[in-house]
Amino acid sequence: MMPPTATATAVFLSAAPSSFSTRSRRSRLPAISASLSPSSSSSSSDEPLLVRAARGEDGLQRPPAWMMRQAGRYMAEYQALARRHPSFRERSENTDLIVEITLQPWRAFAPDGVILFSDILTPLPAIGVPFDILDSKGPVIQSPVRSEEQVRELVPIDLDMLEFVGESLKILRNEIDGKAALLGFVGAPWTIATYVVEGVMTNTYTNIKSMCHTAPDVLRGLLSHLAQAISDYIIYQVNSGAQCIQIFDSWGGQLPPHVWEQWSKPYIKQIVSRIKKECPHVPLVLYINGNGGLLERMKDTGVNVIGLDWTVDMADGRRRLGNGISVQGNVDPAFLFSPLPVLTDEIHRVVKAAGPKGHILNLGHGVLQQTPEEAVAHFFDVTRSLRYDTLFQGSVAEELLPVA
């Protein structure tokens, strides 16, 4: 399907209708600390390898590597901490625990990216949407947002309620001390809206999908509000020390491509446009689970990096996107259960397919439960041993243009 017309795009990108004007509460975005922003006189070679790869810089020796969900349940150290602190909300909303959990894989494996231990739903209470996490059901929102009145009740994001995020990032930036990139992350508006509208985890998304047709103005108002709040939240993370931000549109892949084009992409573009203006030095990564049918559309959001899931062949993904944009991924997490030589071969295959520029090595999804820590260590050891000049010896890098 062709992209929406300019008129339709303007409708989708517009702010919520006046009938959806939300209660007034100003978001207070702190000014970025001079010690946390790149100096205009500093060389890009002083920046972390991951940031440079995200920008597509030439001349890097190897790809940087990190793993989605690299902090968490597969690590014995985390499991011991979780037994002492069984509430996930406590673990992800207490500064001391956030810092400790985030640093566990950093100390154990020395990845090139250290991602904040948090959750994409963490900012919801700050916009007036309380939630619980139940062991048997996962996230639960007692009053799903499905009406015009409920959208009007949402408030601008109260960043004071997220102080534990900002404090954690500041501490982590100092702890890492330039030896890796500090990553923050957010959920995309559509993905966050699936939880807000459905109220619980679902495999069908029938309520929110039907709203596209039965209550489109309500859904647009909700998505517009979320886009504004998420933009503020990204800026807050950057001002607190995050050097790269990943946007998870985890459930965007549940939409047909033409529906994603209408109901997810415009709000991601709205976020990207604002961040590019206010934090132009910070690379943005977009990841969608099940994104094989969306790659070209994802590129049009304006992000710096497209994360590929493991169902996309890296060579095909690079061919479709061209080498004017960076890519991330995409080793199948199941390879971490394979014999280590098999994992080594797969890492080499993915890196060769991605090419010698603009690639962040990662899994195609998060680390699975029961993943052997030995395999995670091996993944990062192999990556550190890679050298582009050896892998691509005697070959000429092909200039790939995106498929028309």
Side-chain angles (χ1 to χ4, degrees):
M1 181 174 177
M2 293 294 289
T5 65
T7 301
T9 301
V11 170
F12 289 123
L13 283 172
S14 65
S18 57
S19 61
F20 288 129
S21 60
T22 54
R23 289 184 294 165
S24 175
R25 183 190 294 170
R26 182 178 298 277
S27 294
R28 291 188 290 137
L29 295 174
I32 189 166
S33 167
S35 63
L36 296 180
S37 65
S39 167
S40 59
S41 61
S42 64
S43 167
S44 65
S45 62
D46 297 330
E47 295 187 272
L49 181 65
L50 186 148
V51 173
R52 298 177 64 197
R55 293 191 185 125
E57 290 188 17
D58 292 309
L60 305 186
Q61 290 189 330
R62 64 170 178 87
W66 69 284
M67 290 182 179
M68 290 181 280
R69 293 184 183 166
Q70 69 185 13
R73 54 194 180 176
Y74 72 98
M75 293 187 70
E77 190 177 7
Y78 174 83
Q79 294 165 13
L81 184 148
R83 286 191 291 271
R84 299 192 302 271
H85 302 276
S87 166
F88 178 82
R89 290 288 298 274
E90 180 191 9
R91 296 195 297 273
S92 60
E93 297 179 15
N94 175 285
T95 299
D96 291 340
L97 295 179
I98 293 169
V99 170
E100 169 59 23
I101 295 169
T102 302
L103 290 176
Q104 285 176 352
W106 160 247
R107 292 190 298 252
F109 312 119
D112 296 298
V114 176
I115 189 165
L116 178 75
F117 182 77
S118 187
D119 192 87
I120 60 172
L121 301 186
T122 294
L124 281 184
I127 65 168
V129 182
F131 73 97
D132 297 310
I133 295 181
L134 306 181
D135 290 339
S136 58
K137 293 185 177 181
V140 175
I141 294 171
Q142 298 294 341
S143 299
V145 177
R146 299 175 186 170
S147 71
E148 179 179 338
E149 181 181 3
Q150 288 174 301
V151 172
R152 282 201 303 265
E153 287 296 307
L154 299 177
V155 298
I157 191 166
D158 182 356
L159 295 171
D160 288 341
M161 295 178 64
L162 298 167
E163 188 175 1
F164 55 88
V165 171
E167 288 302 313
S168 297
L169 286 167
K170 291 173 185 175
I171 294 169
L172 289 165
R173 183 72 179 268
N174 287 329
E175 289 285 337
I176 296 166
D177 194 27
K179 298 179 179 66
L182 179 58
L183 291 93
F185 70 93
V186 296
W190 172 266
T191 288
I192 299 299
T194 63
Y195 293 96
V196 173
V197 170
E198 299 290 342
V200 294
M201 293 286 290
T202 176
N203 293 320
T204 60
Y205 309 94
T206 51
N207 287 301
I208 190 168
K209 285 185 175 183
S210 66
M211 282 181 72
C212 295
H213 313 288
T214 61
D217 286 345
V218 175
L219 185 54
R220 290 187 189 111
L222 173 60
L223 292 168
S224 293
H225 189 93
L226 290 172
Q228 177 67 42
I230 291 165
S231 298
D232 286 347
Y233 188 40
I234 289 175
I235 294 168
Y236 178 69
Q237 291 186 40
V238 171
N239 290 354
S240 299
Q243 296 166 286
C244 181
I245 298 289
Q246 177 147 317
I247 302 170
F248 285 91
D249 196 7
S250 305
W251 308 129
Q254 298 296 316
L255 293 172
H258 72 284
V259 178
W260 183 85
E261 184 90 25
Q262 293 180 337
W263 289 102
S264 184
K265 176 181 168 183
Y267 301 96
I268 295 173
K269 289 186 73 169
Q270 181 178 329
I271 292 168
V272 172
S273 176
R274 183 170 171 208
I275 303 309
K276 292 292 184 184
K277 290 178 182 176
E278 300 197 28
C279 310
H281 60 285
V282 175
L284 299 174
V285 184
L286 177 59
Y287 173 82
I288 300 176
N289 189 30
N291 60 12
L294 297 172
L295 294 186
E296 293 83 0
R297 290 173 165 89
M298 291 171 69
K299 182 178 180 180
D300 190 47
T301 61
V303 296
N304 304 88
V305 186
I306 300 296
L308 306 182
D309 80 358
W310 77 96
T311 65
V312 178
D313 180 80
M314 176 58 79
D316 182 56
R318 178 58 95 184
R319 179 185 64 83
R320 289 168 60 187
L321 292 168
N323 55 17
I325 189 169
S326 296
V327 293
Q328 178 175 275
N330 70 336
V331 174
D332 184 343
F335 269 97
L336 294 169
F337 293 86
S338 303
L340 297 183
V342 174
L343 176 58
T344 299
D345 289 345
E346 179 63 6
I347 292 169
H348 282 222
R349 185 195 69 80
V350 169
V351 172
K352 288 179 180 178
K357 174 184 174 181
H359 177 219
I360 300 169
L361 184 65
N362 204 317
L363 303 180
H365 197 267
V367 183
L368 300 172
Q369 277 189 297
Q370 311 303 324
T371 295
E373 292 186 45
E374 176 190 17
V376 176
H378 184 75
F379 181 95
F380 290 114
D381 287 343
V382 170
T383 305
R384 278 188 290 274
S385 72
L386 296 176
R387 292 295 179 270
Y388 281 138
D389 57 1
T390 301
L391 284 172
F392 295 94
Q393 189 173 17
S395 64
V396 177
E398 182 182 0
E399 180 68 22
L400 293 176
L401 300 176
V403 176

